[in-house]
Amino acid sequence: MASQDEIFKKIVSHAKEYGFVFPSSEIYDGLSAVYDYGPYGVELKNNLKTYWWKAMTQVHENIVGIDAAIFMHPKTWKASGHVDAFNDPMLDNKDSKKRYRADQLIEGYIEKIEDKINKEVEKASKRFENFDAEMFKSTNPRVVEYQVKSKEITQRLANAMTNNDMVDLKSMIDELEIACPESGSRNWTEVRQFNLMFSTQLGNIAGEESILYLRPETAQGIFVNFLNVQKSSRMKIPFGIAQIGKAFRNEIVARQFIFRMREFEQMEMQFFVPPGTELEWYERWKQIRLKWHHAIGHPASKLRFHDHDNLAHYANAAVDIQFEFPFGFRELEGIHSRTDFDLSQHANLSGKKITYFDPEKNESYIPYVIETSIGCDRMFLAALSHAYTEETLSDTKGEDSTRVVLKLHPAIAPVKCAILPLVKNKEELTTKARQIFKELKFSFNCQYDDKDAIGRRYRRQDAIGTPYCITVDFETLTDEMVTIRDRDTLEQVRIPISGLKEYIAEKVSMDKILAE
Ligand code: ATP
């Protein structure tokens, strides 16, 4: 069986071969951690955005959207803390000349300990009947030792990160004898802070005042517009503001395809609540967001909550929704209780009053904020890697016995149906198929395809995740019926052409998953 590493490589090359994701400016050998979306990629990405946008703004009466500019007044980033503190700790290996994030090296070490624990548990589970994993973990001396060690390192890392203690991060790397994965040496530089914001210049004015930053998150565009939105749309607290847009981070180590990019897209929602109620809302939003992931077909076993070990200075609770990517469980979405930090900071630095008068309480206050923030590209990778399936078919019904199929939820699939005349050089068939295509194209993203044998055409549609293939054959010409093939079950049913639109609409509709 292929390893997860091999599967990941296959997903990356599949994404390129079938027009989902290309390396940016590839003819110049690409640009590190920047990617372009191809014809099917853009469709899938747009569908994911629509799913998120509708789930936020259409489903919730009290959430509205905005689309703020990427450039913002430089003081925004001073107020938000990004100029002073949006840093990652980095160090170089002097032999390989490779650059790393100190926290990630230590996290990698912790992961290895966790792997050892899992291996011990797996081994023991095979040895004993009626095996109780929890009991084993709390009594087996070796596992207990591993757990203590993992906990100690996690805690020390969290403290060092919270206190910006670069010296201790370096000591940890030395003490744990962490070596460079490339050179194998422990010949490290000191650890230093690196600011992740990209900067540029406004007009032709020189100096500090004209430095502009490419936004590293979309959230600040929402905070600075809080009063504009609240007043213009007459929103009453609790209410939310949603936004989808580009964000930029000069990541120190950008690996793992579109998981960590330097230019990416975020889907963020800030929910404004009365002070004191934020933790209740925080719990509520955790559940709502998890359901959103389940509804698109991502199973509970691939998603989990991971509480933050070190809270940012402005947060009083923070959790990640992690997804099991081919390279392990990693952050897909963050849910943060951000207190009144951002609005207060903007009020201080701008000198403008940013408060809300609560008619029910008859008082003014600065609202507290719950934020849900998901990377669109990471969601794309989650959907793609979950959908990617290599299959050997037992009952091939005349098709090849192996296939690669993207089992995407029909509501997000780039192409909803393909219309295929059984053979290409029979004009009656192609004309009929084209006629069906013309009727359906106003309702769905469809494809007409008459190249190659029918089996190969099915494979092409499987590879891009098209949930339905409609075949037009000779009988169609007399009985006005077509065969519709289900991508996942391969079941073929004959239905009248007049019922096609309704049949497909029901299957690919987003309404049902939104209602969930
Ligand atoms: P990480 O710890 O992985 O760097 P983060 O905690 O810095 O992520 P947030 O600032 O909480 O991330 O951003 C919210 C979301 O934006 C993340 O959950 C992720 O989905 C997405 N995101 C952040 N950085 C990147 C990136 N470089 N490339 C792609 N998506 C990203």
Side-chain angles (χ1 to χ4, degrees), residues 357-370:
F357 178 74
D358 191 327
E360 272 161 41
K361 295 187 167 191
N362 199 24
E363 65 180 33
S364 291
Y365 53 77
I366 300 179
Y368 271 45
V369 172
I370 304 301

Side-chain angles (χ1 to χ4, degrees), residues 225-500:
N225 276 301
F226 168 73
L227 285 179
N228 281 338
V229 174
Q230 190 263 318
K231 289 188 173 145
S232 60
S233 49
R234 299 183 301 132
M235 299 305 280
K236 282 209 180 81
I237 277 181
F239 79 91
I241 306 177
Q243 175 169 220
I244 299 177
K246 289 266 181 169
F248 304 82
R249 294 182 189 180
N250 201 359
E251 298 282 359
I252 297 171
V253 195
R255 278 201 219 103
Q256 291 157 333
F257 193 37
I258 54 171
F259 179 82
R260 190 172 300 284
M261 303 156 92
R262 297 206 162 95
E263 173 180 341
F264 57 101
E265 231 169 333
Q266 287 186 315
M267 309 192 281
E268 295 199 298
M269 194 278 300
Q270 262 64 41
F271 199 74
F272 300 92
V273 302
T277 66
E278 71 276 10
L279 293 179
E280 220 175 283
W281 280 107
Y282 170 74
E283 288 304 327
R284 229 192 261 189
W285 275 109
K286 274 173 68 175
Q287 298 312 323
I288 297 174
R289 291 304 304 147
L290 192 62
K291 270 196 195 154
W292 183 88
H293 289 280
H294 288 158
I296 202 70
H298 293 172
S301 60
K302 283 210 164 179
L303 291 155
R304 69 180 187 196
F305 286 124
H306 176 80
D307 285 314
H308 281 207
D309 296 315
N310 55 326
L311 286 180
H313 55 288
Y314 52 76
N316 64 3
V319 70
D320 293 337
I321 296 180
Q322 295 187 333
F323 181 83
E324 192 178 19
F325 291 96
F327 38 84
F329 273 98
R330 294 284 186 284
E331 171 177 347
L332 169 57
E333 170 159 6
I335 300 166
H336 311 124
S337 173
R338 287 178 82 127
T339 67
D340 60 354
F341 174 81
D342 301 86
L343 290 181
S344 304
Q345 283 290 98
H346 287 304
N348 288 343
L349 222 76
S350 67
K352 306 273 173 6
K353 197 169 139 199
I354 308 182
T355 54
Y356 169 78
F357 178 74
D358 191 327
E360 272 161 41
K361 295 187 167 191
N362 199 24
E363 65 180 33
S364 291
Y365 53 77
I366 300 179
Y368 271 45
V369 172
I370 304 301
E371 165 182 270
T372 74
S373 172
I374 175 170
C376 183
D377 313 270
R378 275 190 200 177
M379 186 60 203
F380 186 102
L381 184 57
L384 190 67
S385 51
H386 179 59
Y388 182 89
T389 316
E390 293 177 358
E391 273 183 350
T392 307
L393 306 173
S394 50
D395 179 10
T396 58
K397 296 184 176 120
E399 301 181 22
D400 286 352
S401 60
T402 58
R403 63 170 185 166
V404 172
V405 51
L406 293 186
K407 294 191 173 179
L408 292 164
H409 192 293
I412 55 167
V415 177
K416 304 302 185 201
C417 65
I419 298 109
L420 317 170
L422 188 62
V423 285
K424 143 168 150 180
N425 31 20
K426 283 281 176 262
E427 209 188 322
E428 315 93 277
L429 291 190
T430 52
T431 311
K432 189 74 189 165
R434 279 234 167 255
Q435 192 189 339
I436 297 173
F437 171 74
K438 271 190 200 148
E439 278 164 28
L440 293 181
K441 74 175 181 185
F442 299 105
S443 309
F444 318 105
N445 197 13
C446 308
Q447 272 192 357
Y448 170 88
D449 187 7
D450 62 13
K451 286 172 223 80
D452 301 325
I454 191 83
R456 287 183 71 173
R457 282 181 272 162
Y458 283 153
R459 286 294 165 271
R460 256 194 320 258
Q461 296 301 331
D462 287 343
I464 60 168
T466 307
Y468 298 102
C469 284
I470 299 162
T471 313
V472 176
D473 55 27
F474 291 102
E475 278 174 57
T476 308
L477 304 175
T478 50
D479 67 2
E480 285 291 308
M481 308 264 278
V482 285
T483 304
I484 185 157
R485 167 193 180 267
D486 183 292
R487 176 196 67 198
D488 300 341
T489 63
L490 297 179
E491 229 166 47
Q492 304 203 358
V493 287
R494 259 185 107 71
I495 63 165
I497 295 173
S498 58
L500 258 183

Side-chain angles (χ1 to χ4, degrees), residues 51-336:
Y51 174 44
W52 184 88
W53 188 256
K54 287 187 175 211
M56 284 297 174
T57 63
Q58 188 174 311
V59 171
H60 294 100
E61 269 177 70
N62 58 352
I63 300 180
V64 290
I66 64 164
D67 180 17
I70 288 172
F71 288 140
M72 300 182 70
H73 193 285
K75 278 189 184 166
T76 309
W77 306 109
K78 192 77 194 156
S80 67
H82 283 83
V83 173
D84 297 318
F86 193 53
N87 302 319
D88 276 340
M90 63 168 236
L91 80 172
D92 295 320
N93 182 271
K94 290 181 195 165
D95 298 317
S96 68
K97 310 270 183 267
K98 286 264 172 202
R99 184 156 281 181
Y100 295 91
R101 251 171 75 176
D103 56 328
Q104 286 180 348
L105 284 178
I106 299 167
E107 276 165 6
Y109 187 91
I110 298 169
E111 244 170 55
K112 278 193 191 136
I113 303 180
E114 297 294 327
D115 284 348
K116 282 185 191 162
I117 297 174
N118 292 339
K119 277 205 185 109
E120 291 288 337
V121 174
E122 204 184 307
K123 249 185 359 202
S125 72
K126 286 184 189 146
R127 267 204 320 263
F128 303 111
E129 250 176 65
N130 299 329
F131 177 68
D132 180 340
E134 287 316 306
M135 172 81 106
F136 177 76
K137 278 200 214 162
S138 60
T139 51
N140 178 280
R142 195 179 300 164
V143 172
V144 170
E145 198 185 309
Y146 284 148
Q147 279 174 326
V148 170
K149 193 168 178 194
S150 159
K151 219 170 173 180
E152 262 174 25
I153 302 172
T154 306
Q155 193 53 51
R156 188 168 161 196
L157 172 64
N159 290 345
M161 292 298 284
T162 311
N163 303 326
N164 286 322
D165 191 342
M166 299 300 112
V167 176
D168 198 42
L169 286 177
K170 179 65 194 329
S171 307
M172 287 178 82
I173 287 171
D174 291 339
E175 285 167 32
L176 299 172
E177 301 186 345
I178 296 175
C180 167
E182 197 92 358
S183 66
S185 94
R186 294 189 216 120
N187 192 7
W188 296 109
T189 62
E190 293 309 304
V191 178
R192 58 199 165 90
Q193 292 281 32
F194 176 78
N195 193 291
L196 301 184
M197 282 200 293
F198 284 103
S199 61
T200 183
Q201 201 101 24
L202 178 69
N204 56 3
I205 321 156
E208 278 263 307
E209 273 298 287
S210 65
I211 288 185
L212 284 190
Y213 296 100
L214 295 183
R215 65 180 178 196
E217 62 175 27
T218 59
Q220 299 305 324
I222 290 179
F223 289 123
V224 300
N225 276 301
F226 168 73
L227 285 179
N228 281 338
V229 174
Q230 190 263 318
K231 289 188 173 145
S232 60
S233 49
R234 299 183 301 132
M235 299 305 280
K236 282 209 180 81
I237 277 181
F239 79 91
I241 306 177
Q243 175 169 220
I244 299 177
K246 289 266 181 169
F248 304 82
R249 294 182 189 180
N250 201 359
E251 298 282 359
I252 297 171
V253 195
R255 278 201 219 103
Q256 291 157 333
F257 193 37
I258 54 171
F259 179 82
R260 190 172 300 284
M261 303 156 92
R262 297 206 162 95
E263 173 180 341
F264 57 101
E265 231 169 333
Q266 287 186 315
M267 309 192 281
E268 295 199 298
M269 194 278 300
Q270 262 64 41
F271 199 74
F272 300 92
V273 302
T277 66
E278 71 276 10
L279 293 179
E280 220 175 283
W281 280 107
Y282 170 74
E283 288 304 327
R284 229 192 261 189
W285 275 109
K286 274 173 68 175
Q287 298 312 323
I288 297 174
R289 291 304 304 147
L290 192 62
K291 270 196 195 154
W292 183 88
H293 289 280
H294 288 158
I296 202 70
H298 293 172
S301 60
K302 283 210 164 179
L303 291 155
R304 69 180 187 196
F305 286 124
H306 176 80
D307 285 314
H308 281 207
D309 296 315
N310 55 326
L311 286 180
H313 55 288
Y314 52 76
N316 64 3
V319 70
D320 293 337
I321 296 180
Q322 295 187 333
F323 181 83
E324 192 178 19
F325 291 96
F327 38 84
F329 273 98
R330 294 284 186 284
E331 171 177 347
L332 169 57
E333 170 159 6
I335 300 166
H336 311 124

